[in-house]
Amino acid sequence: MGLRELEGSAPSQVDGFEVGWRDAAGEHRRLLSEAVSVAFEEGRPVRGFPSYRGQRHFPGLYWSATTGGHVGFESWLERDHVMLLDFTPEVTGLQSQPFWLFWEDGRGKRVSHAPDYFARFEDGRGLVVDCRPLDRIDARSVAKFEATRAACVSAGWGYRVVGAVDAVRMGNVRWLAGYRHPRHGVAGGVVERLLALFSVPSPLVGQASLMGDPIAVLPVVFHLLWQGRLGADLSRPLTDTTLVSRVEGR
């Protein structure tokens, strides 16, 4: 059985691009105009993540709280960005190397590109992401990224080329990712009491201590921060006195 197709009308103009993807039913290739409603976030990576002695990159698998499964990465940079997507509460689906995009350049040469990630948002929007250190984007990469951007715009998806993340913010997100697993969630009554305690901005450890031993309570607080039900300024290092507050509507 192939990937399900999402409801909604296709864009009127998606010219010059084809897309190829994999799922449990095998490999598929269509005009982009015929595939924009495919749930690529539910497919399989179109290529592997090779590992060999002496390689410059560090491939691996990241366990995603969003999908409940593993998402591949080919470098620490890709790992950081898949973690940030996983940390985004509005993201409901996520896949690495989601499809091949095919087109002809201005000289008639066939070109292909597999973006790094496809994310689906709770409102149905799609987002395609390419990860590349900004100082390593050469002319060939620019051409591929611009073509990919044009395809995404035509398909009604967002597109981002992303580089290194602010070190402090990323350090905080990595810390919170250690508490992303549902096992750090507890009975609803405890969660509701914590959310009530942080109904106004309050110091992280001091306020959590009102619930009991911080060693037992803080993992739940960090889990709620990961889920976006609690919020804090992650542009500064998390400390005992970081102000934490409930995020309304979540």
Side-chain angles (χ1 to χ4, degrees):
M1 181 177 179
L3 292 183
R4 67 189 178 94
E5 297 201 8
L6 304 174
E7 294 182 0
S9 60
S12 58
Q13 295 293 326
V14 190
D15 297 328
F17 295 99
E18 292 181 314
V19 63
W21 73 96
R22 296 180 62 235
D23 59 22
E27 298 185 359
H28 312 270
R29 182 162 172 168
R30 294 189 206 169
L31 292 173
L32 180 57
S33 58
E34 299 172 350
V36 293
S37 60
V38 171
F40 293 108
E41 70 276 15
E42 298 175 5
R44 296 178 177 177
V46 294
R47 61 187 183 86
F49 303 91
S51 179
Y52 52 89
R53 179 177 295 180
Q55 71 184 121
R56 297 175 58 188
H57 300 297
F58 299 91
L61 295 172
Y62 168 83
W63 186 85
S64 165
T66 299
T67 67
H70 288 99
V71 181
F73 60 84
E74 293 185 286
S75 66
W76 291 147
L77 180 63
E78 288 188 18
R79 182 204 58 183
D80 284 350
H81 282 286
V82 72
M83 189 179 293
L84 287 171
L85 288 167
D86 197 34
F87 180 59
T88 303
E90 297 80 12
V91 170
T92 59
L94 185 58
Q95 183 57 269
S96 58
Q97 310 293 331
F99 54 76
W100 284 105
L101 192 65
F102 304 97
W103 69 94
E104 288 187 1
D105 65 15
R107 297 173 295 175
K109 180 182 178 181
R110 296 293 291 173
V111 185
S112 62
H113 176 58
D116 293 318
Y117 295 110
F118 184 91
R120 183 73 65 183
F121 286 73
E122 60 189 6
D123 62 2
R125 289 179 298 125
L127 173 67
V128 176
V129 178
D130 272 311
C131 306
R132 188 71 58 89
L134 298 184
D135 60 355
R136 291 183 52 212
I137 298 179
D138 55 19
R140 182 182 179 189
S141 298
V142 168
K144 286 193 172 185
F145 293 160
E146 287 305 311
T148 302
R149 184 182 302 279
C152 290
V153 169
S154 297
W157 302 327
Y159 180 65
R160 296 177 189 166
V161 178
V162 293
V165 184
D166 175 77
V168 172
R169 174 176 171 77
M170 200 63 236
N172 288 331
V173 172
R174 289 190 197 112
W175 173 264
L176 295 178
Y179 300 90
R180 69 189 183 277
H181 196 279
R183 65 173 174 268
H184 294 291
V186 292
V190 175
V191 168
E192 289 306 317
R193 288 172 61 195
L194 275 171
L195 293 175
L197 274 175
F198 287 102
S199 59
V200 296
S202 306
L204 172 61
V205 174
Q207 199 74 342
S209 298
L210 298 178
M211 279 281 294
D213 185 351
I215 293 178
V217 176
L218 283 174
V220 185
V221 175
F222 293 142
H223 183 66
L224 293 173
L225 282 164
W226 172 265
Q227 290 183 317
R229 301 181 70 182
L230 292 175
D233 180 4
L234 299 184
S235 68
R236 299 181 178 183
L238 282 172
T239 68
D240 292 1
T241 59
T242 294
L243 294 181
V244 174
S245 61
R246 180 172 185 165
V247 176
E248 296 300 326
R250 299 212 64 88

